[in-house]
Amino acid sequence: MKLDKVKSPEELLIFLDNINYGVIDKNGNVLNDSSSEEFQIACNNDWYVRDVNEIIKSKVGHCYDQVEIERKWFTLKGYQFKTFWVSAYQEEIENSGFSHTYLVFFDKTNKTWNLFEHSDCNNKGIYSFATLQEAIDYQSSNQVKYATNQIKPIKKYSIFLKEFSKPPLNLKMQEYLNFVTCDKISDRL
């Protein structure tokens, strides 16, 4: 099935099952274990913002990639939506930031804000909330839980959250993070 043939958010969730969580290194190897050193090196050195069709064709992408597939579909279908980048971190611990991107859409029929989550396999699904803030708070708490499981906190994790627009193609990781954290759309939060 092609992306433009997907009819509903529920079908999109199934469509995205064709995308394996991971990153492709410079040698074309697919790395799936986000906690591995090789994965982190590939993300920092080899990953770049790809065209949605390239991501779908490769069948590989982490949350930064998958949210762009979601963005394209929700745009094609005329939904009101927002994309967010969230990081749970501790200033006292170097490299303690665990980031994630996700999409929240408004359902006109039910008048609800819905978290659309595919790349986080522990929380995969569509979750409905009365307000956008409830959806953001829910996903932020998931990010803190994930970070806490990775590095035992010295104190409570802090959350850094930014709403962001579609990034330009071919940005490398540091350029992408600069774009996301400096995007003017973020200033509304």
Side-chain angles (χ1 to χ4, degrees):
M1 178 184 290
K2 293 194 178 225
L3 185 62
D4 62 348
K5 301 295 182 201
V6 173
K7 294 183 174 120
S8 67
E10 293 77 14
E11 279 188 22
L12 180 60
L13 204 60
I14 294 166
F15 175 86
L16 286 169
D17 285 343
N18 294 308
I19 308 297
N20 296 306
Y21 186 90
V23 65
I24 302 169
D25 72 11
K26 65 184 173 194
N27 299 317
N29 299 312
V30 175
L31 305 168
N32 302 102
D33 181 2
S34 63
S35 64
S36 75
E37 184 176 353
E38 293 83 9
F39 184 97
Q40 296 305 319
I41 290 170
C43 277
N44 290 324
N45 299 329
D46 305 329
W47 180 86
Y48 62 94
V49 177
R50 297 180 287 159
D51 178 74
V52 166
N53 294 324
E54 185 181 340
I55 299 165
I56 292 169
K57 184 178 178 184
S58 74
K59 297 184 177 185
V60 176
H62 57 48
C63 63
Y64 296 2
D65 300 306
Q66 292 188 36
V67 81
E68 294 310 319
I69 297 171
E70 296 161 14
R71 179 193 309 279
K72 183 170 184 174
W73 185 85
F74 281 95
T75 299
L76 283 170
K77 299 302 179 183
Y79 279 82
Q80 178 185 355
F81 68 90
K82 298 175 180 286
T83 52
F84 295 96
W85 178 87
V86 62
S87 178
Y89 68 96
Q90 293 189 53
E91 292 178 15
E92 299 79 12
I93 303 175
E94 187 175 346
N95 297 318
S96 69
F98 295 93
S99 64
H100 182 58
T101 57
Y102 63 95
L103 182 142
V104 180
F105 69 94
F106 186 72
D107 181 330
K108 292 179 191 175
T109 304
N110 297 321
K111 307 271 190 258
T112 57
W113 283 96
N114 298 273
L115 168 64
F116 185 94
E117 181 59 73
H118 183 269
S119 62
D120 177 357
C121 63
N122 291 323
N123 295 296
K124 179 178 155 183
I126 300 171
Y127 303 90
S128 294
F129 300 91
T131 67
L132 175 61
Q133 190 60 53
E134 287 175 10
I136 290 169
D137 292 345
Y138 175 82
Q139 190 63 4
S140 294
S141 71
N142 284 342
Q143 195 62 20
V144 168
K145 287 176 198 169
Y146 175 79
T148 302
N149 288 335
Q150 301 302 309
I151 297 177
K152 185 176 180 185
I154 293 174
K155 66 177 192 176
K156 185 178 177 184
Y157 270 93
S158 297
I159 289 290
F160 185 61
L161 176 75
K162 290 293 215 170
E163 180 182 357
F164 69 101
S165 57
K166 184 180 186 324
L169 294 177
N170 301 314
L171 294 181
K172 300 289 275 177
M173 182 59 76
Q174 194 55 53
E175 296 168 320
Y176 175 83
L177 294 174
N178 289 341
F179 172 82
V180 168
T181 58
C182 296
D183 192 0
K184 292 294 181 203
I185 196 170
S186 312
D187 296 340
R188 289 187 276 158
L189 293 176

